Structures are given as structure tokens and as C-alpha cells.
Amino acid sequence: MKLDKIDIKTTEVLEWKGVHLFHFQGSACSQKLRIFLNYKNIDWVSHEVNLIKGDQFSEWYLGINPRGLVPTLVHNGDVHIESNDIMTYLDQEFPNTKLFPTNLINEIKKDLDYQDSLHFDLRRLTFRYIVPHILGKKDPKKIDFKESHDGTIQGQGDAYKEKEISFWKKHYDHGITDDEVIESGNKFKDIYSKFDTILKNQNFLKGDEFTIVDLAWYVSTKRLYEAGIPIDKYKNVKNWFDKLDKDSNFKKEANPIFLLKITKVILKIYNKLKGKYLTDLVDF
Ligand SMILES: N[C@@H](CCC(=O)N[C@@H](CS)C(=O)NCC(=O)O)C(=O)O
């Protein structure tokens, strides 16, 4: 989604040339973008937005992404938000090694919208099984600042921001509940069962060619595997995943930050002892 000039309060970026990506190492949506840019051999300038330190709440950053989310793209002075929209835009601008095949474009857009609609489910499992509450909860003062910040998207107020704020307020109060884990876990259970059937007869999710849908689901699958979804149970999904995960260009961008490798093990032991591990709550 391209922002209108009126939405952009950090106006210095209007002068920037080239491809600039605002991203964070551990963010799944940023990982998608980095793999995409590297895969397509696009030269890009990296700007880290440290989500743990709270860079996403600064006046400067909210001035180019009123939702306070990563990633954000600045391309020759234009500002684009929403990872899937950014990749759709860049695939047209840089048509080498196309990841959005023209004959599948509508189907692919629907698949990406669906994948994006599951972002809060992915986030629930991440913040229950990988990022401990103490590290993941957001400072209420910063959330209030984001809430009161009157940024617009294409000249309009933004309903998505409310969804974000409500997630983080609930998370601050009670973390991620068992019911939320069960609801989100079951969605992924159905998805991986379907994918397993699809991948029985073809190499990739949209046929025998690798597309953006594989890239997007590779990143989500990597995260969900870390969170405890037993991907090994879905043999065809596991083969598809392993093939992609062997590629160091994919792996290096999707690797979790070191601290989270440790917290994941601690949370695994803690939840296992309580009988609340993902596979205890959802019957995969
Ligand atoms: N639909 C958005 C979702 C972006 C999103 O939620 N990004 C997360 C990181 S994966 C974020 O910036 N979170 C902000 C925070 O943790 O405060 C997209 O695809 O770009």
C-alpha cells in the first residue's frame, strides 16, 4: 500500500533515492522482504527498527509508518507499507526472476491476503512459545503514544491500528491464553493438512514452480516449527520445507535472534512441565 504525500510526516524520505527497507531481524514480515530482495538481487539499503527497544514508536518512524509496524519500503521517495503489498509492487518494478507469475496473479493475491489474515495467529504462538511475556510485553505509555498519534493511511484514519493496540493491551494484561493458543493452533492444523495433500503431487504450493506463496509460507512455517507445530507429521510439507531451508539465503534471513533461541527452550520446558505445550493443547 503506497502512502499519500499527506500521510508522510517524516518528509526527509521524500528525497531518498534507491530501495530502502526498514526492518527488524526477528520479524517474520521483515524476513519475507529480505529473502525476496536477495532472491531478486535487488540492491537495498538497510535501516534497522529495533522492535525490542521500541524504535517503532518514535515520532520519526510513525511519520513513515502510521501503524508503527515493520517492514516499510522507501523507493525513490515513495513510501510503501504492508509486506505483501510491498513485494507485489517490487515484483512489477523489478521484473527479473518473477515471483508473481502473471497467469496466477489473482489467485496469488488471494493466497497472500489469507496468509496475512493469519498474522495475529502467528503472533499469538510466537508470544506464547518463543518470546516470554516479560520480554514481549509493550510499555503501556508507548502504546498510548501510538494510539494518540494521529497518522493517516491514504488520507484516512486507520482501523488496523486499533486491532494492533487491542492485541498489545490484552497481551500486557494476561499474555496469550490457552483458548487463544487452541484457536490459532487449530487454524494452522487445518492449513498444514491441506498443504500436505497439495504437496503430494507437486513440488511447490502453486505448482512445480517456486512462487511468492512458497516464500511467504516458508517464513511462517519456520516460525511455527520453532513455536512447536509438529511439521514432521506432515511428510510432504516437511520435504518442501527442508528443500527451502537448505538454501542458506533463506535460512540466514529467517533465523531467530540468539536470545530467542534460548528463551524458546526455557518456555518449552516450562510449558511441557505444566502440560500446556502446543501439542498438549492442540491435537495435531
Ligand atoms: N500485515 C503487516 C504486519 C506487520 C507486522 O505486524 N509487523 C510486526 C513484526 S512481524 C511489527 O512490526 N510489530 C510491531 C511491534 O512488535 O510493536 C505486514 O505484513 O507488513
Side-chain angles (χ1 to χ4, degrees):
M1 191 186 307
K2 183 173 161 205
L3 293 193
D4 287 347
K5 281 240 164 69
I6 194 170
D7 306 323
I8 304 167
K9 303 290 188 279
T10 302
T11 51
E12 66 189 74
V13 303
L14 298 173
E15 308 298 321
W16 290 9
K17 295 283 171 255
V19 173
H20 296 256
L21 185 71
F22 290 80
H23 64 107
F24 180 57
Q25 189 200 339
S27 134
C29 302
S30 305
Q31 293 169 349
K32 233 173 13 180
L33 245 301
R34 292 196 304 262
I35 296 173
F36 174 89
L37 289 166
N38 295 342
Y39 187 87
K40 284 179 72 83
N41 261 321
I42 299 173
D43 273 341
W44 57 286
V45 182
S46 166
H47 302 262
E48 197 199 33
V49 180
N50 190 318
L51 297 183
I52 297 174
K53 284 195 195 147
D55 295 350
Q56 70 277 33
F57 298 110
S58 71
E59 191 84 47
W60 195 98
Y61 190 67
L62 289 171
I64 53 167
N65 189 320
R67 292 183 175 167
L69 299 176
V70 287
T72 303
L73 172 82
V74 178
H75 183 216
N76 293 335
D78 288 331
V79 178
H80 299 256
I81 62 168
E82 288 297 320
S83 57
N84 291 336
D85 294 346
I86 296 174
M87 294 189 297
T88 310
Y89 162 76
L90 285 173
D91 206 56
Q92 284 161 359
E93 289 289 299
F94 298 86
N96 63 310
T97 49
K98 269 186 101 55
L99 283 170
F100 291 69
T102 324
N103 58 329
L104 293 175
I105 198 82
N106 291 330
E107 227 181 280
I108 283 187
K109 278 188 180 157
K110 263 195 226 142
D111 287 357
L112 290 182
D113 284 349
Y114 178 57
Q115 189 254 351
D116 185 55
S117 75
L118 297 161
H119 187 74
F120 283 86
D121 297 291
L122 183 93
R123 199 188 269 177
R124 278 176 175 171
L125 301 186
T126 302
F127 281 82
R128 171 72 183 257
Y129 293 111
I130 300 176
V131 186
H133 195 228
I134 185 90
L135 267 188
K137 66 183 180 185
K138 309 270 181 211
D139 179 347
K141 280 202 210 96
K142 289 187 170 165
I143 294 289
D144 286 346
F145 175 70
K146 180 158 145 176
E147 194 167 17
S148 61
H149 198 270
D150 57 355
T152 54
I153 307 269
Q154 298 178 336
Q156 309 287 319
D158 183 26
Y160 190 96
K161 194 169 88 172
E162 292 315 312
K163 223 176 135 185
E164 266 298 305
I165 285 164
S166 140
F167 177 92
W168 291 118
K169 283 190 170 165
K170 270 165 69 184
H171 177 259
Y172 185 86
D173 291 340
H174 56 63
I176 306 296
T177 64
D178 291 354
D179 285 346
E180 288 170 334
V181 168
I182 292 167
E183 188 186 47
S184 297
N186 273 308
K187 286 190 196 172
F188 290 116
K189 175 184 165 178
D190 292 347
I191 289 167
Y192 284 116
S193 301
K194 280 194 197 120
F195 282 180
D196 210 44
T197 308
I198 291 173
L199 289 165
K200 205 185 277 176
N201 300 315
Q202 57 193 51
N203 290 331
F204 295 104
L205 290 169
K206 301 309 293 174
D208 281 329
E209 298 299 321
F210 176 73
T211 70
I212 196 68
V213 178
D214 297 290
L215 196 165
W217 274 104
Y218 163 74
V219 170
S220 297
T221 305
K222 178 104 185 168
R223 171 66 58 82
L224 292 165
Y225 211 170
E226 300 270 340
I229 292 196
I231 297 296
D232 310 54
K233 278 199 170 177
Y234 306 92
K235 293 274 173 291
N236 303 311
V237 173
K238 178 75 166 65
N239 287 341
W240 161 88
F241 175 78
D242 283 348
K243 225 167 17 193
L244 300 177
D245 202 47
K246 266 199 199 108
D247 187 327
S248 57
N249 288 318
F250 279 55
K251 205 172 177 159
K252 78 166 192 273
E253 297 298 359
N255 259 341
I257 56 179
F258 184 67
L259 177 64
L260 297 184
K261 285 189 184 167
I262 299 172
T263 56
K264 185 191 84 174
V265 175
I266 297 169
L267 283 177
K268 186 169 183 170
I269 296 168
Y270 172 78
N271 278 295
K272 271 229 154 73
L273 288 175
K274 288 180 69 179
K276 300 273 179 131
Y277 198 52
L278 186 46
T279 43
D280 296 317
L281 297 178
V282 179
D283 182 19
F284 283 96

